[in-house]
Amino acid sequence: MNKSVVSSNRNRDFQQARQAKKDEFYTSLKDIELELNNYKNSFEGKVVYCNCDDPRASNFFRYFSENFEKLGLKKLITTCYRSQDADLFRQNNSDKAVYLEYTGNKSGNRVPSIEMIGIKPLIGDGDFRSDESLALLKQADIVVTNPPFSLFSEYVDQLIQHKKKFVIIGNMNAVTYSNIFPLIQNNQMWYGPSIRSGDREFRVPEDYPITAVGSRVDENGNKYVRVKGVRWFTNLDYPTRHADLELCKAYSPDENPKYVNFDAIEVSKSKDIPFDYDGPMGVPISFLDKYNPDQFEILGSSRSLSRPMSQIVKKGTYQSGGPRFYLPNGDGTYRRMYERIVIRKK
């Protein structure tokens, strides 16, 4: 499929979530298990906080409560957002924000019911920025959840400010955000290992508009949508993150031309990174799926490193737009590239 079509579809999926004011996507238990199985040794003695999760509907709560003893958790806390705007979020038809604290206590290898554990009302709306939620965050060692897509930047800022470990879901294009890319570049945050391509299915509230291709309603009336470009983001390390990317292709001036407005070569696919070139290289965002911080250094991105074309060539010879790299077409005109990350081998 054409890259511009894929990008358009991905953006449309997330725009739909924003426009419909529906940030409430329920992650499947399978996707949670596939990701969290990579960090089993990270949870012993820890307090886990799921601060965008109604325990009555959240598979994050289900995963951690069922594996509480196996992971060696100290405590599990979940909180549920309830906006004063009734059209923004609907959590299990609840008109109150709630929270739950679980410290174990299995009987006969069965997790106690939600009612036995006890759900408590919050005074406010349970927003992750509220004083109540912040007080619970300060207790936590690791935050694991699917935060609101439209508030992803602000959500990550809070985690970094409070120096929390985390495993969260977001749009892969978030790596281009002005506050997110520096975290990626400085190895303060990276992609998780379990999702590398394709889309993922999420359950959505009853009143969510089902219009996208791949949407469905199951036999029980539950609604699901498939969303492209989803990734796990984390600052918990895992072994495969340090696996070298095998480099098999030699540098070619024809296949790896230099950008007009930055001194780096173009590498259109991560698998084509030349083994015999040591200078700066522009690679697609998808390179981050294969990024090994022991093998490569991230120097920046086309947004931060590109020179304005107006300072280099004549007006009318290039497509205008925000900061990007450009390549010559060979006829005195220049083509604008997709977003690029600039790397160099270590």
Side-chain angles (χ1 to χ4, degrees):
M1 182 179 287
N2 184 287
K3 286 185 178 180
S4 62
V5 173
V6 172
S7 178
S8 175
N9 288 342
R10 179 184 302 135
N11 291 334
R12 185 188 64 222
D13 289 338
F14 281 91
Q15 282 296 330
Q16 184 186 51
R18 294 190 185 99
Q19 291 168 0
K21 293 185 177 181
K22 300 297 179 187
D23 275 337
E24 187 185 351
F25 282 19
Y26 295 99
T27 311
S28 75
L29 182 61
K30 179 181 177 182
D31 283 335
I32 292 170
E33 289 173 337
L34 285 173
E35 181 65 21
L36 297 187
N37 282 345
N38 294 281
Y39 314 103
K40 286 183 176 179
N41 296 329
S42 299
F43 292 106
E44 186 172 359
K46 305 298 185 184
V47 176
V48 170
Y49 185 27
C50 306
N51 59 348
C52 299
D53 297 271
D54 186 331
R56 296 162 294 192
S58 168
N59 283 319
F60 287 101
F61 169 78
R62 179 178 172 185
Y63 174 85
F64 282 114
S65 61
E66 290 182 353
N67 293 280
F68 193 95
E69 279 75 17
K70 187 185 298 184
L71 294 171
L73 294 182
K74 180 179 180 181
K75 182 191 287 189
L76 170 63
I77 307 171
T78 70
T79 54
C80 158
Y81 180 86
R82 172 60 187 176
S83 174
Q84 300 305 311
D85 176 358
D87 292 329
L88 182 57
F89 277 73
R90 297 190 185 208
Q91 297 267 359
N92 216 40
N93 294 322
S94 169
D95 44 5
K96 287 185 177 295
V98 298
Y99 77 102
L100 176 151
E101 294 183 278
Y102 179 55
T103 56
N105 190 27
K106 279 191 176 181
S107 177
N109 274 339
R110 296 181 61 187
V111 178
S113 67
I114 298 293
E115 291 73 21
M116 288 182 64
I117 298 172
I119 294 179
K120 303 174 185 178
L122 289 166
I123 296 172
D125 63 9
D127 188 297
F128 67 87
R129 298 160 293 191
S130 69
D131 289 342
E132 288 176 296
S133 295
L134 280 173
L136 293 171
L137 177 66
K138 290 175 182 178
Q139 296 183 38
D141 300 298
I142 306 173
V143 176
V144 186
T145 192
N146 181 352
F149 293 140
S150 60
L151 298 175
F152 189 81
S153 289
E154 189 172 357
Y155 186 87
V156 171
D157 279 344
Q158 184 187 87
L159 296 179
I160 298 300
Q161 178 186 349
H162 290 275
K163 299 179 180 178
K164 298 301 177 182
K165 295 295 184 180
F166 56 86
V167 186
I168 59 176
I169 294 179
N171 179 358
M172 67 178 290
N173 284 338
V175 300
T176 65
Y177 299 169
S178 60
N179 67 319
I180 301 296
F181 185 78
L183 301 176
I184 300 288
Q185 183 176 358
N186 297 324
N187 287 310
Q188 294 173 271
M189 175 170 150
W190 44 85
Y191 283 160
S194 69
I195 301 178
R196 289 299 187 226
S197 63
D199 51 14
R200 285 297 181 275
E201 186 175 74
F202 295 86
R203 187 164 68 84
V204 292
E206 293 180 4
D207 54 351
Y208 190 93
I210 298 295
T211 57
V213 176
S215 301
R216 70 180 179 93
V217 180
D218 69 14
E219 63 275 11
N220 298 315
N222 297 313
K223 292 183 175 181
Y224 297 85
V225 297
R226 298 197 73 86
V227 181
K228 300 181 188 300
V230 172
R231 292 292 187 277
W232 289 95
F233 292 81
T234 186
N235 56 0
L236 293 178
D237 211 357
Y238 52 89
T240 56
R241 180 171 174 254
H242 300 277
D244 278 354
L245 175 63
E246 187 176 356
L247 308 179
C248 302
K249 198 158 186 177
Y251 165 68
S252 165
D254 293 330
E255 294 185 25
N256 306 117
K258 282 200 171 185
Y259 301 118
V260 178
N261 56 336
F262 184 71
D263 186 13
I265 63 169
E266 161 70 3
V267 180
S268 60
K269 297 179 180 178
S270 300
K271 68 182 182 64
D272 294 336
I273 294 173
F275 62 81
D276 55 352
Y277 189 86
D278 295 324
M281 299 172 276
V283 294
I285 294 174
S286 57
F287 163 80
L288 293 176
D289 286 327
K290 305 170 181 65
Y291 172 51
N292 172 1
D294 305 322
Q295 184 181 16
F296 296 99
E297 175 186 8
I298 297 177
L299 303 178
S301 72
S302 51
R303 292 195 182 198
S304 61
L305 297 175
S306 59
R307 287 179 57 197
M309 288 293 283
S310 60
Q311 298 178 5
I312 303 171
V313 299
K314 292 181 180 180
K315 185 177 180 180
T317 61
Y318 60 94
Q319 178 188 354
S320 60
R324 291 283 180 85
F325 293 148
Y326 287 76
L327 288 176
N329 290 318
D331 59 359
T333 63
Y334 306 88
R335 65 184 183 275
R336 187 168 181 261
M337 306 302 294
Y338 290 105
E339 182 72 21
R340 290 292 186 257
I341 294 172
V342 180
I343 63 169
R344 181 168 54 202
K345 295 205 301 286
K346 286 189 172 180

